[in-house]
Amino acid sequence: MEEKLIPIHSSLDLAIADSIINSAIKIYADKGILPLAIAALDAGGQLVAFKRENGYGVLRFDTSCFSKYFSNCI
């Protein structure tokens, strides 16, 4: 049986998500802020890209992805 892949379209392209994360890291590094963990999510709240800088905590992935639920409340 041949497997058929169904394309899934995201509202946020991977290249754009990567650019957003890299820009945020550069801005915060220029301000001298401690290392970050940054998650880029699409309009549906699905993870598109994630980066954790060297020196940041090990268990920070859950924290950065959990904060997406509160980002619309601010």
Side-chain angles (χ1 to χ4, degrees), residues 2-74:
E2 187 176 331
E3 184 177 344
K4 292 184 180 181
L5 298 176
I6 301 170
I8 299 174
H9 301 285
S10 175
S11 60
L12 180 60
D13 186 59
L14 180 59
I16 295 171
D18 192 50
S19 175
I20 291 169
I21 290 174
N22 290 335
S23 296
I25 289 173
K26 183 180 181 327
I27 290 168
Y28 279 88
D30 290 346
K31 292 182 179 187
I33 295 177
L34 294 175
L36 298 169
I38 301 175
L41 310 170
D42 66 7
Q46 299 301 311
L47 181 66
V48 176
F50 177 82
K51 286 189 180 181
R52 182 182 61 87
E53 291 185 284
N54 292 338
Y56 201 67
V58 176
L59 299 175
R60 301 297 184 197
F61 177 77
D62 293 335
T63 304
S64 62
C65 286
F66 180 72
S67 64
K68 73 179 181 184
Y69 296 109
F70 299 105
S71 64
N72 292 330
C73 299
I74 297 174

